[in-house]
């Protein structure tokens, strides 16, 4: 085997700087081999090493009384009570999904599922957060169909329900879509597994699909901007097979149950390279591999390709020699390749052999844990101050409030996502309690009374106009949505999507977002237990809006006592509880109806948010509420309209009763202005006084604004009617908006 010479051009092609290459030669004490160069290039890529973000991620709160495993493993783990744990994480598959949407999204789902079951948990529910350019554009219509199809195809075949998510469409995602996928699994507390290659002399076993050339340098592709050659990168996109993954899941869980596994890790980004070096690095051991034993799809593959392949549905296991045959028998029963390809050593080296000849020999910890860490320059963009100014004299009040509300309900960010989630099997496993379309997804934990609520959120426009406040809002909105199900928010995972970190304004956005998430999590007592960073979401120097997606998880002690957003009948009291600080800055109304993205996001009091979440849990437990729905995009009018649509019942409400600082405010601010810490609830009329009292005791407002009944939505300010629309018209607009955006016949 003749390897290419290491040249400056080859080093550059591998995404390594001259200083990074110099550091490699210092670690090795010599020039690297071609295989070693490939190993360092993928492990020191931004995607794997977090070299631009690691310094700042340390600011996250990551511990708490429920936290069993925080960041650093394949997924985070929390104690949910009754001897059970929840294992969850969120990941991105942005670049691959833009190039090949079906496989990019499908393999994103496959990867996050493996992150969960490698910890010993059975995956039970998925969410996703999707960002596209305008869906009226042909290519984004194609991307939308492929991504949704890929998520549905993989998840449905695996028998893992997709129970919720979010969609956001904006021109800033025209060159870089976002596909962020979340999964949560359940396990017994005493049956958690870790990605460690422990025990000198233990065997290293490869299991799952054969290794091919798909996905080679996938992580390198994800660590650079797109230029004009995106479609030429299709060979970097992995190809998924959910049927093989289903076999792999069942085989691994069976082996775990029988106590045959010492350590286990998914061969995800960077494939065999990352799994072997990270398992050895975490355990403080070494691993010696013989690549000629690896099952291959193409027999002419070289060590470089085998180590860097990102072929899907593969795992690396460590087992004791005495348990080898029992372990291999399980995988044979499930018709999966399983073979011994190495051994755990005590010298701390990742040693790679090819037919007995050493082709790579690197200190394992230097690859997985000692990548360069950069404190990159940061500064706000020069136009930031101008963006944050908003003069209401430039924003005329609407001539038709009815038209504005219908326009808001037609926005893909607000409108019904039924067109998407109808393609998902959201009832498989029979754990789903709340169907997609409410504030949070809710599942039951079988054989217990427990429920788990989940929500994924981020307002990208808020983050563009103020990255700190936008990140705080993302955490608090996700927590509010979980609380609107009756659950208590307990922990989160995130997926931080940004442009090129080498540009100071992008790094400023990232740092401010980290600070915002950190402050919000400390105030809400919801630690960050896992997550992902996706940089270089930028094409031809045009970056996406900063998009720190937050997936919040909450626990409900009695799943039978829960809430959804829809009104539940006629004659019920409609109330707004929380705070009242409305404004038009950064609002969906300002963007859609006035074509302006300016100002600042709504003011937010994180401590009041915590009070609101706790209040909702108490009111739910006390049986005082019939429904609850977060006020977010589109303001209180959209929240009321959505609750009316979901409940198929009309509402008559006087919004003038919601006063800001004791004063009446402009009509469009009152109806469409956005706010934090605010929820629309319904209740039996006799409970309204008690709800108001408990809200006041929590330092919050509890304002009775109207009642349910009839078949129209009527929103008044004193005696002046601003909105009067049949619920049937609202429903048609809301339900058919995505189809209209995509140009589909209705």
């Amino acid at each position: 085997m003749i390897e290419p010479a290491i040249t400056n051009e080859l080093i550059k092609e591998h995404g390594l700087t001259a200083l990074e290459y110099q550091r490699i030669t210092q670690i090795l004490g010599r020039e690297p081999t071609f295989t070693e160069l490939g190993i360092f290039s993928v492990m020191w890529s931004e995607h794997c090493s977090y070299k631009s973000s690691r310094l700042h991620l340390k600011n996250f709160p990551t511990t708490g009384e429920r936290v069993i495993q925080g960041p650093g493993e394949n997924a985070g783990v929390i104690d949910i009570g009754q001897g059970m744990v929840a294992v969850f994480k969120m990941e991105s598959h942005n670049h691959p999904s833009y190039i090949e949407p079906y496989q990019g999204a499908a393999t994103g789902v496959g990867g996050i599922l493996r992150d969960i079951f490698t910890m010993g948990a059975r995956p039970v529910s998925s969410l996703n957060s999707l960002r596209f350019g305008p869906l009226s554009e042909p290519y984004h219509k194609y991307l939308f169909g492929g991504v949704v199809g890929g998520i549905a195809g993989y998840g449905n075949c695996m028998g893992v329900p997709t129970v919720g998510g979010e969609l956001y469409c904006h021109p800033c995602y025209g060159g870089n879509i976002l596909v962020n996928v979340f999964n949560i699994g359940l396990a017994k507390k005493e049956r958690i597994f870790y990605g460690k290659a422990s025990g000198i002399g233990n065997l290293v076993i490869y299991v799952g699909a054969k290794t091919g050339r798909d996905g080679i340098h996938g992580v390198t592709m994800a660590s650079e901007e797109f230029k004009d050659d995106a479609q030429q990168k299709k060979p970097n996109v992995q190809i998924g097979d959910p049927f093989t993954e289903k076999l792999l899941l069942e085989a691994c869980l069976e082996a775990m149950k029988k106590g045959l596994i010492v350590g286990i890790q998914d061969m995800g980004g960077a494939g065999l390279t990352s799994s072997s070096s990270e398992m050895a690095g975490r355990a403080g051991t070494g691993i010696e591999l013989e690549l000629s034993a690896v099952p291959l799809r193409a027999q002419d593959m070289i060590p470089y390709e085998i180590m860097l392949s990102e072929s899907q549905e593969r795992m690396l296991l460590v087992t004791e020699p005495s348990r080898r045959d029992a372990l291999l028998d399980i995988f044979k029963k499930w018709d999966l390749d399983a073979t011994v390809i190495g051994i755990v050593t005590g010298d701390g080296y990742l040693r790679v052999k090819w037919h007995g000849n050493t082709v790579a020999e690197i200190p394992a910890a230097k690859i997985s844990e000692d990548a360069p860490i950069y404190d990159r320059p940061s500064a706000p963009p020069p136009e930031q101050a101008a963006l944050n100014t908003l003069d209401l004299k430039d924003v005329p009040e609407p001539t038709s409030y009815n038209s504005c509300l219908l326009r808001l309900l037609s926005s893909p960010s607000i409108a019904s996502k039924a067109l998407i989630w109808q393609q998902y099997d959201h009832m498989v496993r029979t754990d789903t309690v709340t169907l997609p379309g409410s504030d949070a997804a809710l599942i039951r934990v079988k054989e217990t009374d427990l429920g788990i609520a989940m929500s994924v959120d981020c307002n990208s426009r808020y983050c563009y106009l103020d990255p700190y406040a936008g990140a705080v809002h993302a955490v608090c909105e996700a927590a509010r949505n979980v609380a609107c199900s009756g659950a208590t928010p307990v922990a989160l995972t995130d997926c931080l999507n940004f442009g090129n970190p080498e540009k100071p304004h992008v790094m400023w956005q990232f740092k401010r977002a980290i600070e915002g998430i950190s402050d919000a999590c400390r105030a809400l007592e919801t630690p960050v237990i896992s997550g992902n960073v996706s940089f270089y979401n930028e094409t031809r120097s045009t970056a996406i809006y900063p998009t720190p997606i937050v997936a919040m998880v909450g626990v409900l002690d009695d799943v039978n006592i829960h809430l959804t957003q829809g009104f539940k009948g006629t004659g019920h009291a409609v109330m707004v509880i929380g705070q009242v600080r409305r404004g038009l800055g950064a609002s969906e109304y300002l963007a859609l109806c006035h074509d302006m993205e300016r100002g600042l996001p709504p003011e937010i009091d994180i401590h009041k948010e915590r009070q609101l979440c706790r209040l909702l849990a108490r009111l739910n437990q006390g049986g005082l509420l019939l429904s609850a729905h977060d006020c977010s995009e589109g303001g209180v009018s959209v929240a009321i309209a959505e609750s009316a649509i979901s409940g198929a019942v009309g509402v008559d409400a006087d919004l003038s009763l919601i006063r800001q600082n004791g004063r009446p405010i402009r009509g469009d601010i009152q109806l469409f202005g956005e706010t934090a810490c605010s929820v629309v609830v319904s209740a039996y009329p006799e409970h309204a006084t008690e709800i108001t009292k408990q809200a006041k005791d929590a330092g919050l407002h509890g304002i009775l604004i109207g009642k349910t009944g009839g078949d129209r939505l009527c929103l008044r300010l004193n005696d002046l009617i601003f909105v009067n629309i049949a619920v049937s018209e609202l429903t048609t607009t809301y339900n058919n908006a995505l189809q209209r955006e995509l140009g589909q016949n209705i």
Side-chain angles (χ1 to χ4, degrees):
M1 182 183 66
I2 301 176
E3 294 189 338
I6 307 298
T7 63
N8 290 335
E9 183 178 353
L10 189 65
I11 294 165
K12 187 176 180 180
E13 287 176 4
H14 280 72
L16 294 164
T17 67
L19 287 176
E20 288 171 346
Y21 183 74
Q22 182 181 355
R23 184 168 178 172
I24 291 169
T25 60
Q26 291 171 348
I27 289 171
L28 296 175
R30 54 177 170 79
E31 298 292 316
T33 66
F34 181 53
T35 301
E36 289 169 338
L37 182 70
I39 288 171
F40 274 107
S41 75
V42 293
M43 291 304 294
W44 285 11
S45 68
E46 190 70 59
H47 186 83
C48 287
S49 72
Y50 288 45
K51 57 190 175 186
S52 298
S53 60
R54 195 184 304 183
L55 184 69
H56 309 291
L57 296 175
K58 294 177 181 178
N59 294 321
F60 280 157
T62 59
T63 59
E65 63 180 50
R66 288 184 181 267
V67 179
I68 294 173
Q69 175 63 54
E73 263 288 346
N74 292 289
V77 184
I78 60 167
D79 188 336
I80 60 172
Q82 300 189 37
M84 299 293 294
V85 299
V87 179
F88 58 89
K89 189 182 182 184
M90 186 159 52
E91 283 276 5
S92 63
H93 233 221
N94 303 334
H95 284 60
S97 298
Y98 184 79
I99 297 167
E100 212 301 305
Y102 186 95
Q103 289 296 346
T107 52
V109 172
I112 197 66
L113 293 177
R114 290 193 301 278
D115 282 339
I116 301 307
F117 72 77
T118 193
M119 301 291 294
R122 178 175 290 278
V124 292
S125 290
S126 294
L127 305 173
N128 54 68
S129 177
L130 310 178
R131 299 289 197 274
F132 297 95
L135 295 181
S136 56
E137 295 181 3
Y139 191 62
H140 280 271
K141 190 181 302 184
Y142 156 74
L143 290 172
F144 174 87
V147 165
V148 173
I151 292 171
Y154 209 102
N156 293 352
C157 290
M158 285 291 295
V160 178
T162 300
V163 294
E166 64 162 6
L167 171 70
Y168 192 99
C169 298
H170 191 280
C172 75
Y173 302 105
N176 291 86
I177 67 171
L178 302 184
V179 177
N180 292 182
V181 287
F182 162 95
N183 187 263
I184 189 167
L186 298 173
K188 297 287 187 182
K189 189 174 181 179
E190 70 276 7
R191 208 176 282 165
I192 304 169
F193 288 79
Y194 298 95
K196 293 182 180 180
S198 302
I200 297 170
N202 281 342
L203 303 178
V204 179
I205 297 182
Y206 171 115
V207 300
K210 289 180 169 62
T211 293
R213 290 192 171 94
D214 51 311
I216 293 175
H217 275 296
V219 296
T220 307
M221 175 191 71
S223 304
E224 60 188 15
E225 291 183 32
F226 280 150
K227 297 182 176 62
D228 294 313
D229 59 347
Q231 292 307 311
Q232 297 175 21
K233 297 179 181 289
K234 281 194 175 184
N236 297 127
V237 178
Q238 308 94 326
I239 300 168
D241 178 0
F243 300 103
T244 297
E245 177 132 334
K246 175 63 173 173
L247 298 177
L248 186 61
L249 180 152
E250 299 298 343
C252 287
L253 292 182
E254 181 179 339
M256 290 168 170
K257 187 175 182 180
K258 292 183 177 179
L260 302 177
I261 293 176
V262 172
I264 178 170
Q265 179 147 326
D266 161 41
M267 290 191 222
L272 186 54
T273 290
S274 61
S275 55
S276 58
S277 61
E278 288 174 359
M279 290 181 77
R282 290 191 193 107
T285 59
I287 283 183
E288 183 174 296
L289 302 175
E290 176 48 73
L291 297 188
S292 62
V294 173
L296 302 177
R297 289 207 305 265
Q299 295 308 310
D300 60 343
M301 291 181 70
I302 62 174
Y304 175 98
E305 295 172 317
I306 296 169
M307 289 299 293
L308 272 59
S309 168
E310 294 182 16
S311 294
Q312 296 291 285
E313 294 86 38
R314 303 177 301 157
M315 307 286 275
L316 199 65
L317 314 181
V318 172
T319 190
E320 297 171 0
S322 62
R323 297 180 176 179
R324 163 187 163 165
D325 292 343
L327 184 63
L328 296 182
D329 284 345
I330 288 175
F331 287 96
K332 183 178 180 181
K333 182 186 78 172
W334 289 98
D335 198 25
L336 292 166
D337 282 309
T339 184
V340 177
I341 65 167
I343 190 169
V344 178
T345 64
D347 62 7
Y349 276 80
L350 172 64
R351 188 171 294 104
V352 181
K353 295 192 172 185
W354 179 242
H355 296 287
N357 297 315
T358 300
V359 294
E361 191 172 49
I362 312 170
K366 294 291 184 182
I367 313 171
S368 63
E369 300 173 7
D370 201 25
I373 295 178
Y374 295 120
D375 186 4
R376 297 194 185 278
S378 66
E383 69 274 14
Q384 194 69 40
L387 281 172
N388 293 149
T389 60
L390 176 64
D391 189 339
L392 289 181
K393 292 196 294 290
D394 298 329
V395 186
E397 292 193 54
T399 56
S400 170
Y401 279 79
N402 281 0
S403 297
C404 283
L405 179 57
L406 292 171
R407 178 80 183 275
L408 286 165
L409 292 174
S410 298
S411 166
S413 303
I414 293 175
S416 169
K417 312 305 186 292
L419 179 67
I420 298 174
W421 57 255
Q422 284 171 355
Q423 299 182 52
Y424 305 148
D425 188 341
H426 45 270
M427 291 301 294
V428 65
R429 296 193 54 79
T430 69
D431 295 331
T432 307
V433 176
T434 300
L435 300 178
S438 198
D439 288 65
L442 180 66
I443 63 168
R444 64 174 54 84
V445 181
K446 285 190 175 78
E447 301 178 6
T448 76
D449 294 325
L450 296 170
I452 298 176
M454 300 155 280
S455 182
V456 57
D457 292 283
C458 177
N459 187 313
S460 308
R461 186 183 297 113
Y462 285 7
C463 296
Y464 168 63
L465 293 171
D466 186 335
Y468 175 87
V472 170
H473 274 279
V475 174
C476 291
E477 184 179 355
R480 260 192 328 272
N481 282 330
V482 164
C484 282
S485 74
T488 300
V490 295
L492 65 83
T493 182
D494 58 39
C495 200
L496 310 177
N497 306 273
F498 290 80
N500 185 342
E502 298 166 49
K503 297 180 178 179
H505 75 277
V506 172
M507 184 48 63
W508 173 78
Q509 292 170 338
F510 181 77
K511 289 171 66 175
R512 292 294 287 157
I514 292 286
E515 292 167 8
I517 292 173
S518 299
D519 288 349
C521 287
R522 287 190 175 91
L524 296 179
E525 298 177 354
T526 53
V528 181
I529 67 163
S530 60
N532 177 63
V533 176
S534 175
F535 277 133
Y536 296 97
N537 293 288
E538 190 160 336
T539 297
R540 293 185 294 277
S541 296
T542 300
I544 64 167
Y545 282 0
T547 310
I549 305 291
V550 170
M552 182 71 72
V553 172
V555 176
L556 191 59
D557 290 334
D558 186 350
V559 72
N560 298 303
I561 305 174
H562 64 272
L563 300 167
T564 56
Q565 72 178 30
F567 295 138
K568 300 300 185 291
T570 62
H572 297 158
V574 177
M575 305 180 68
V576 173
I577 58 176
Q579 283 194 300
V580 183
R581 290 181 180 178
R582 286 171 172 73
L584 294 186
S587 67
E588 191 80 3
Y589 161 74
L590 196 65
L592 284 181
C593 300
H594 295 279
D595 197 27
M596 297 172 68
E597 293 188 311
R598 304 183 66 83
L600 289 167
E603 293 181 47
I604 188 165
D605 184 327
I606 312 173
H607 301 285
K608 295 289 187 184
E609 292 281 0
R610 181 177 62 185
Q611 292 295 93
L612 177 60
C613 289
R614 293 177 177 180
L615 173 64
L616 288 170
R618 288 195 300 273
L619 294 174
N620 175 61
Q621 290 165 6
L624 296 176
L625 299 181
L626 295 171
S627 70
H629 185 27
D630 166 44
C631 294
S632 53
E633 287 93 346
V636 67
S637 63
V638 166
I640 295 171
E642 289 176 328
S643 294
I645 292 166
S646 297
V649 64
V651 180
D652 186 345
D654 183 358
L655 301 186
S656 67
L657 299 171
I658 308 172
R659 291 174 173 261
Q660 191 156 303
N661 299 323
R663 300 191 305 273
I665 51 181
R666 247 175 73 158
D668 53 352
I669 297 177
Q670 192 76 289
L671 269 72
F672 308 127
E674 293 174 6
T675 183
C677 195
S678 188
V679 174
V680 171
V681 303
S682 66
Y684 291 119
E686 58 267 28
H687 291 155
T689 301
E690 178 62 21
I691 292 169
T692 299
K693 177 183 179 301
Q694 290 199 30
K696 184 178 180 180
D697 290 345
L700 302 168
H701 297 290
I703 306 167
L704 178 64
I705 61 170
K707 65 179 181 179
T708 61
D711 59 3
R712 301 186 72 81
L713 173 66
C714 182
L715 301 180
R716 297 178 285 112
L717 293 176
N718 295 311
D719 295 327
L720 187 62
I721 295 175
F722 277 64
V723 167
N724 189 355
I725 310 175
V727 173
S728 59
E729 184 179 355
L730 295 172
T731 302
T732 299
T733 299
Y734 184 75
N735 286 347
N736 295 335
L738 272 185
Q739 288 93 323
R740 286 194 300 271
E741 190 78 7
L742 291 162
Q744 297 180 2
N745 293 325
I746 300 171

PDB file of all heavy atoms in Angstrom, residues 553-565:
ATOM      1  N   VAL A 553     -37.125  19.377  28.877  1.00  0.00           N
ATOM      2  CA  VAL A 553     -37.808  18.180  29.356  1.00  0.00           C
ATOM      3  C   VAL A 553     -38.375  18.463  30.737  1.00  0.00           C
ATOM      4  O   VAL A 553     -37.705  19.056  31.591  1.00  0.00           O
ATOM      5  CB  VAL A 553     -36.846  16.978  29.400  1.00  0.00           C
ATOM      6  CG1 VAL A 553     -37.499  15.779  30.088  1.00  0.00           C
ATOM      7  CG2 VAL A 553     -36.408  16.596  27.987  1.00  0.00           C
ATOM      8  N   GLY A 554     -39.628  18.054  30.946  1.00  0.00           N
ATOM      9  CA  GLY A 554     -40.273  18.225  32.232  1.00  0.00           C
ATOM     10  C   GLY A 554     -40.858  16.919  32.727  1.00  0.00           C
ATOM     11  O   GLY A 554     -41.076  15.982  31.940  1.00  0.00           O
ATOM     12  N   VAL A 555     -41.096  16.853  34.024  1.00  0.00           N
ATOM     13  CA  VAL A 555     -41.632  15.642  34.648  1.00  0.00           C
ATOM     14  C   VAL A 555     -42.981  15.958  35.276  1.00  0.00           C
ATOM     15  O   VAL A 555     -43.150  16.991  35.932  1.00  0.00           O
ATOM     16  CB  VAL A 555     -40.660  15.086  35.709  1.00  0.00           C
ATOM     17  CG1 VAL A 555     -41.268  13.887  36.423  1.00  0.00           C
ATOM     18  CG2 VAL A 555     -39.336  14.698  35.062  1.00  0.00           C
ATOM     19  N   LEU A 556     -43.926  15.065  35.048  1.00  0.00           N
ATOM     20  CA  LEU A 556     -45.268  15.169  35.606  1.00  0.00           C
ATOM     21  C   LEU A 556     -45.482  13.954  36.498  1.00  0.00           C
ATOM     22  O   LEU A 556     -45.381  12.814  36.041  1.00  0.00           O
ATOM     23  CB  LEU A 556     -46.284  15.199  34.470  1.00  0.00           C
ATOM     24  CG  LEU A 556     -47.734  15.557  34.759  1.00  0.00           C
ATOM     25  CD1 LEU A 556     -47.844  16.942  35.376  1.00  0.00           C
ATOM     26  CD2 LEU A 556     -48.549  15.504  33.466  1.00  0.00           C
ATOM     27  N   ASP A 557     -45.750  14.182  37.779  1.00  0.00           N
ATOM     28  CA  ASP A 557     -45.861  13.063  38.719  1.00  0.00           C
ATOM     29  C   ASP A 557     -47.066  12.177  38.432  1.00  0.00           C
ATOM     30  O   ASP A 557     -47.032  10.974  38.681  1.00  0.00           O
ATOM     31  CB  ASP A 557     -45.934  13.588  40.154  1.00  0.00           C
ATOM     32  CG  ASP A 557     -44.603  14.171  40.615  1.00  0.00           C
ATOM     33  OD1 ASP A 557     -43.555  13.745  40.085  1.00  0.00           O
ATOM     34  OD2 ASP A 557     -44.610  15.058  41.491  1.00  0.00           O
ATOM     35  N   ASP A 558     -48.141  12.779  37.932  1.00  0.00           N
ATOM     36  CA  ASP A 558     -49.328  12.002  37.570  1.00  0.00           C
ATOM     37  C   ASP A 558     -49.731  12.378  36.161  1.00  0.00           C
ATOM     38  O   ASP A 558     -50.321  13.442  35.928  1.00  0.00           O
ATOM     39  CB  ASP A 558     -50.475  12.272  38.547  1.00  0.00           C
ATOM     40  CG  ASP A 558     -51.685  11.364  38.296  1.00  0.00           C
ATOM     41  OD1 ASP A 558     -51.707  10.666  37.256  1.00  0.00           O
ATOM     42  OD2 ASP A 558     -52.591  11.351  39.133  1.00  0.00           O
ATOM     43  N   VAL A 559     -49.417  11.524  35.214  1.00  0.00           N
ATOM     44  CA  VAL A 559     -49.650  11.822  33.807  1.00  0.00           C
ATOM     45  C   VAL A 559     -51.136  11.954  33.489  1.00  0.00           C
ATOM     46  O   VAL A 559     -51.511  12.546  32.469  1.00  0.00           O
ATOM     47  CB  VAL A 559     -48.996  10.734  32.924  1.00  0.00           C
ATOM     48  CG1 VAL A 559     -49.768   9.428  33.003  1.00  0.00           C
ATOM     49  CG2 VAL A 559     -48.870  11.194  31.475  1.00  0.00           C
ATOM     50  N   ASN A 560     -51.992  11.439  34.347  1.00  0.00           N
ATOM     51  CA  ASN A 560     -53.431  11.517  34.097  1.00  0.00           C
ATOM     52  C   ASN A 560     -53.990  12.911  34.352  1.00  0.00           C
ATOM     53  O   ASN A 560     -55.107  13.218  33.928  1.00  0.00           O
ATOM     54  CB  ASN A 560     -54.167  10.493  34.975  1.00  0.00           C
ATOM     55  CG  ASN A 560     -53.751   9.071  34.663  1.00  0.00           C
ATOM     56  OD1 ASN A 560     -53.871   8.627  33.535  1.00  0.00           O
ATOM     57  ND2 ASN A 560     -53.230   8.364  35.659  1.00  0.00           N
ATOM     58  N   ILE A 561     -53.215  13.738  35.046  1.00  0.00           N
ATOM     59  CA  ILE A 561     -53.633  15.117  35.313  1.00  0.00           C
ATOM     60  C   ILE A 561     -52.729  16.033  34.497  1.00  0.00           C
ATOM     61  O   ILE A 561     -51.629  16.379  34.917  1.00  0.00           O
ATOM     62  CB  ILE A 561     -53.533  15.447  36.811  1.00  0.00           C
ATOM     63  CG1 ILE A 561     -54.337  14.444  37.640  1.00  0.00           C
ATOM     64  CG2 ILE A 561     -54.030  16.867  37.078  1.00  0.00           C
ATOM     65  CD1 ILE A 561     -54.169  14.615  39.141  1.00  0.00           C
ATOM     66  N   HIS A 562     -53.191  16.389  33.322  1.00  0.00           N
ATOM     67  CA  HIS A 562     -52.356  17.205  32.439  1.00  0.00           C
ATOM     68  C   HIS A 562     -53.225  18.192  31.666  1.00  0.00           C
ATOM     69  O   HIS A 562     -54.463  18.116  31.711  1.00  0.00           O
ATOM     70  CB  HIS A 562     -51.567  16.321  31.461  1.00  0.00           C
ATOM     71  CG  HIS A 562     -52.438  15.564  30.507  1.00  0.00           C
ATOM     72  ND1 HIS A 562     -52.960  14.326  30.802  1.00  0.00           N
ATOM     73  CD2 HIS A 562     -52.888  15.873  29.267  1.00  0.00           C
ATOM     74  CE1 HIS A 562     -53.691  13.896  29.791  1.00  0.00           C
ATOM     75  NE2 HIS A 562     -53.667  14.822  28.848  1.00  0.00           N
ATOM     76  N   LEU A 563     -52.575  19.099  30.954  1.00  0.00           N
ATOM     77  CA  LEU A 563     -53.259  20.159  30.226  1.00  0.00           C
ATOM     78  C   LEU A 563     -52.891  20.142  28.753  1.00  0.00           C
ATOM     79  O   LEU A 563     -51.805  19.689  28.384  1.00  0.00           O
ATOM     80  CB  LEU A 563     -52.881  21.527  30.811  1.00  0.00           C
ATOM     81  CG  LEU A 563     -53.221  21.777  32.278  1.00  0.00           C
ATOM     82  CD1 LEU A 563     -52.505  23.033  32.769  1.00  0.00           C
ATOM     83  CD2 LEU A 563     -54.729  21.911  32.462  1.00  0.00           C
ATOM     84  N   THR A 564     -53.791  20.659  27.921  1.00  0.00           N
ATOM     85  CA  THR A 564     -53.497  20.931  26.517  1.00  0.00           C
ATOM     86  C   THR A 564     -53.966  22.348  26.204  1.00  0.00           C
ATOM     87  O   THR A 564     -54.600  23.010  27.038  1.00  0.00           O
ATOM     88  CB  THR A 564     -54.193  19.927  25.583  1.00  0.00           C
ATOM     89  OG1 THR A 564     -55.604  19.949  25.837  1.00  0.00           O
ATOM     90  CG2 THR A 564     -53.655  18.517  25.810  1.00  0.00           C
ATOM     91  N   GLN A 565     -53.688  22.833  24.991  1.00  0.00           N
ATOM     92  CA  GLN A 565     -53.933  24.241  24.687  1.00  0.00           C
ATOM     93  C   GLN A 565     -55.386  24.548  24.328  1.00  0.00           C
ATOM     94  O   GLN A 565     -55.833  25.693  24.441  1.00  0.00           O
ATOM     95  CB  GLN A 565     -53.031  24.696  23.550  1.00  0.00           C
ATOM     96  CG  GLN A 565     -53.405  24.152  22.175  1.00  0.00           C
ATOM     97  CD  GLN A 565     -52.491  24.687  21.083  1.00  0.00           C
ATOM     98  OE1 GLN A 565     -51.333  24.981  21.319  1.00  0.00           O
ATOM     99  NE2 GLN A 565     -53.013  24.801  19.879  1.00  0.00           N
TER     100      GLN A 565
END
